[in-house]
Amino acid sequence: MMIKLIMCDLDNTLLPLYTQEKFVDIWFRDVAKKFYEHHLNQAIGLNAMNEGCRAMVFNKGGKLNIDVFYEVACELSGYTREQLEAVMNDYYATTFDNVREIARENPYAPQIARLMREKAEHAVIATMPMFPIEACNKRLSWVGLNASMFDLVTTCDYSSTCKPSTQYYAEILEDFDVKPHQALMIGNDVREDMEPCEQLGIDTFLVTDHLITHNLPYSRFRQGNYPALIEYLKSL
């Protein structure tokens, strides 16, 4: 099989997290503090952030996720995009590292990243595109990686849909001029990573170390732990 593109999820695949729910709790807690520091109403600001995030998840395309986020957040809060961007830019520059407290080490991550580069023409971090590159780079750094090691990290100002939309993956294929059968997706989430890629005809590898199934069947997917993934990548 000729692989031109290898995509890999970040959270709970390359970057293990204790709980995704705790990630969200810390994010909103620290963003609330930034609204206070910028003399903006915390309750109004957090509600706007929450609904802006929801709007990105359900974005059907046509507009970048970042633009959908700020359109909704501005409309609900009454604040300007400049005001909200000042809060969020400050947060990602100074406080986002607090999320690191729930991140676990993954000694396999550098080898996985290296094999992605060796075994395909293009290597992509296909992470849920709700964050700016600054946040993605910090999360990568917690497992010894950085964005410059990859051809693309999907961010909120790149994607116009979110997982589990097939359009999210199709957009990446199109940008690299790759057919589905020439691509591989590595992930830990059956609903967000495996099923949409299966629908498109993209080959998959389900990482089982921090598996998220959503109570969906998954025995049909190629799968294994980190060492098994490394051995599979070596075999390509």
Side-chain angles (χ1 to χ4, degrees):
M1 178 175 58
M2 177 58 183
I3 296 292
K4 289 189 174 182
L5 168 67
I6 298 179
M7 300 176 284
C8 188
D9 176 54
L10 181 54
D11 294 339
N12 282 314
T13 299
L14 287 176
L15 172 64
L17 301 171
Y18 283 105
T19 67
Q20 198 72 29
E21 292 75 16
K22 186 64 174 176
F23 182 111
V24 174
D25 289 344
I26 294 172
W27 191 89
F28 276 106
R29 179 198 71 192
D30 290 344
V31 169
K33 292 178 182 176
K34 288 301 175 185
F35 273 100
Y36 177 80
E37 292 173 9
H38 284 255
H39 309 291
L40 300 176
N41 184 282
Q42 288 176 299
I44 291 174
L46 283 183
N47 178 63
M49 295 294 103
N50 185 52
E51 293 304 315
C53 289
R54 281 177 52 84
M56 284 195 285
V57 171
F58 294 104
N59 188 11
K60 301 300 182 184
K63 294 181 180 179
L64 292 175
N65 288 340
I66 188 66
D67 293 330
V68 169
F69 173 82
Y70 280 116
E71 283 180 13
V72 170
C74 290
E75 181 178 353
L76 287 176
S77 67
Y79 299 135
T80 65
R81 178 161 177 165
E82 289 73 20
Q83 286 176 300
L84 295 179
E85 283 181 334
V87 172
M88 299 310 297
N89 291 342
D90 184 8
Y91 165 69
Y92 285 118
T94 64
T95 316
F96 183 73
D97 260 324
N98 286 346
V99 176
R100 187 171 188 168
E101 70 185 63
I102 63 162
R104 310 184 198 186
E105 293 184 358
N106 181 7
Y108 299 102
Q111 188 175 4
I112 293 168
R114 185 166 59 252
L115 284 166
M116 288 171 64
R117 288 245 61 114
E118 290 176 2
K119 297 296 184 173
E121 294 178 21
H122 309 291
V124 170
I125 295 297
T127 182
M128 183 68 99
M130 297 176 66
F131 297 94
I133 189 61
E134 294 83 3
C136 294
N137 223 349
K138 285 187 178 181
R139 281 148 60 218
L140 285 164
S141 73
W142 299 339
V143 286
L145 308 177
N146 63 75
S148 66
M149 299 169 67
F150 304 92
D151 296 295
L152 171 69
V153 177
T154 56
T155 58
C156 56
D157 56 357
Y158 167 81
S159 298
S160 56
T161 55
C162 280
K163 299 179 182 182
S165 170
T166 55
Q167 188 177 338
Y168 163 79
Y169 293 98
E171 186 173 31
I172 300 171
L173 296 183
E174 183 178 352
D175 281 356
F176 287 97
D177 192 26
V178 170
K179 303 298 182 186
H181 69 275
Q182 299 171 319
L184 169 68
M185 175 62 190
I186 302 164
N188 71 299
D189 193 302
V190 175
R191 183 182 67 195
E192 294 187 354
D193 301 321
M194 299 295 105
E195 290 192 338
C197 287
E198 179 183 47
Q199 292 176 39
L200 289 172
I202 298 170
D203 198 15
T204 57
F205 191 103
L206 179 63
V207 179
T208 55
D209 293 80
H210 308 283
L211 182 64
I212 299 175
T213 69
H214 305 280
N215 294 316
L216 295 168
Y218 60 92
S219 61
R220 67 190 184 277
F221 296 110
R222 181 186 295 108
Q223 59 190 267
N225 58 13
Y226 289 126
L229 168 62
I230 287 169
E231 289 307 307
Y232 175 69
L233 290 174
K234 287 180 178 179
S235 74
L236 295 177

